[in-house]
Amino acid sequence: MLKTSDDNKSNDQHKCQHVAIIMDGNGRWAKKRHLPRFMGHKEGAKAVKRIVIAAQKSGIAALTLYAFSAENWRRPASEVSFLMELLYKTIEREFTELINENVRLSFIGNWQVLPEKLVAKIIKITTDSAANSGLHLLIALNYGAQQEILAAAKDLARKYQQGDLNLEDINEDDFAKKLALADAPPVDLLIRTSGEIRLSNFLLWQIAYAELYFTDVLWPDFSEDDFNVALAQFSLRKRRYGGL
Ligand code: IPE
Ligand code: IPE
Ligand code: MG
């Protein structure tokens, strides 16, 4: 059975608990200003801080941000290494402060293969913020939805092959537990900035019944007001989950 927000919390159907964002448009933001792409990424990191604070104020329980996709390795090596360094600095300078604001940090995706220094930082901030009870901030790093669905399917196949699993026992809930966001409420709202109307391999399973919101605003320009407009739009949506 599909897990919905209503199963987890009150029957207030307009309550948004979990927002996921595809933070897109850093390069175009820079291009418009005749700046190098990396300047767009730097400005994008500022928007992250701003939107995390806005999310906390709004009272949602969880915010998942797509920071680096499994496909972003296709970019020039210089851009990839700049992004890795920027991630490190953002965790060190900005996210560490968030621990005192009661934010809990988690990372999804295949982040274990990232540069050692970054992995150590991720483990430290995850541990240091584990007991926090405020906003749950999840950062998707080296994340690809098809890759994670395939890995879960292979894991089940392996268990079946070893005789440890009956096919009849596999259901949607158990499958979802093998994927990212298993410990967060269902994604209610997916936002993508920059005008692209696609999912780019983000959370394909988890957004089966999320509301989708696309805006032309480029990520570095995305403001607290823009975030609140998206939440307001969400509250107007009628979610039916196949019912009437
Ligand atoms: C999003 O901005 C940041 C990452 C994907 C890391 P882009 O870098 O994709 O910006 P555009 O799409 O080129 O404008
Ligand atoms: C999606 O943006 C990935 C992140 C925001 C981290 P991209 O800019 O990589 O997506 P495509 O290439 O336009 O689909
Ligand atoms: Mg892009």
Side-chain angles (χ1 to χ4, degrees), residues 19-218:
V19 177
I21 308 182
I22 302 175
M23 310 182 289
D24 198 12
N26 294 351
R28 278 162 284 169
W29 182 93
K31 195 170 181 209
K32 255 173 59 179
R33 289 163 178 75
H34 309 287
L35 295 168
R37 287 180 58 84
F38 80 86
M39 290 295 287
H41 294 312
K42 273 181 93 167
E43 205 60 28
K46 290 186 197 163
V48 168
K49 178 95 184 274
R50 186 160 72 229
I51 298 309
V52 169
I53 292 166
Q56 225 179 343
K57 272 203 234 167
S58 76
I60 63 167
L63 175 70
T64 298
L65 301 177
Y66 204 7
F68 192 88
S69 78
E71 287 71 33
N72 285 146
W73 299 106
R74 292 176 186 151
R75 296 187 179 200
S78 56
E79 177 160 341
V80 170
S81 55
F82 180 85
L83 285 168
M84 293 300 151
E85 193 57 35
L86 182 64
L87 279 161
Y88 181 87
K89 284 185 189 148
T90 303
I91 297 173
E92 185 167 70
R93 293 183 194 157
E94 317 291 356
F95 291 177
T96 306
E97 269 177 47
L98 295 172
I99 299 181
N100 304 325
E101 305 290 327
N102 204 19
V103 172
R104 173 156 70 104
L105 270 126
S106 301
F107 291 78
I108 66 168
N110 195 11
W111 54 265
Q112 291 87 349
V113 305
L114 297 178
E116 217 174 299
K117 190 174 98 161
L118 184 56
V119 169
K121 218 10 145 235
I122 288 172
I123 293 170
K124 180 159 173 26
I125 196 141
T126 306
T127 314
D128 290 352
S129 69
N132 284 354
S133 57
L135 177 75
H136 188 185
L137 175 61
L138 300 106
I139 309 292
L141 275 189
N142 194 16
Y143 176 85
Q146 290 186 333
Q147 291 86 337
E148 79 163 354
I149 292 168
L150 192 62
K154 280 186 178 174
D155 189 46
L156 291 173
R158 209 172 293 116
K159 290 207 172 82
Y160 176 73
Q161 199 175 35
Q162 290 163 353
D164 295 334
L165 183 73
N166 295 318
L167 286 188
E168 303 72 42
D169 291 342
I170 308 170
N171 60 36
E172 289 94 329
D173 287 348
D174 292 332
F175 197 87
K177 280 187 196 129
K178 296 185 146 304
L179 305 176
L181 311 187
D183 61 343
V187 176
D188 293 306
L189 173 65
L190 175 84
I191 298 173
R192 183 172 189 145
T193 59
S194 90
E196 306 297 354
I197 318 285
R198 57 172 168 263
L199 298 174
S200 302
N201 204 15
F202 191 41
L203 303 177
L204 299 180
W205 174 287
Q206 297 88 335
I207 59 168
Y209 265 103
E211 295 296 322
L212 309 181
Y213 179 85
F214 297 96
T215 170
D216 287 340
V217 177
L218 301 174

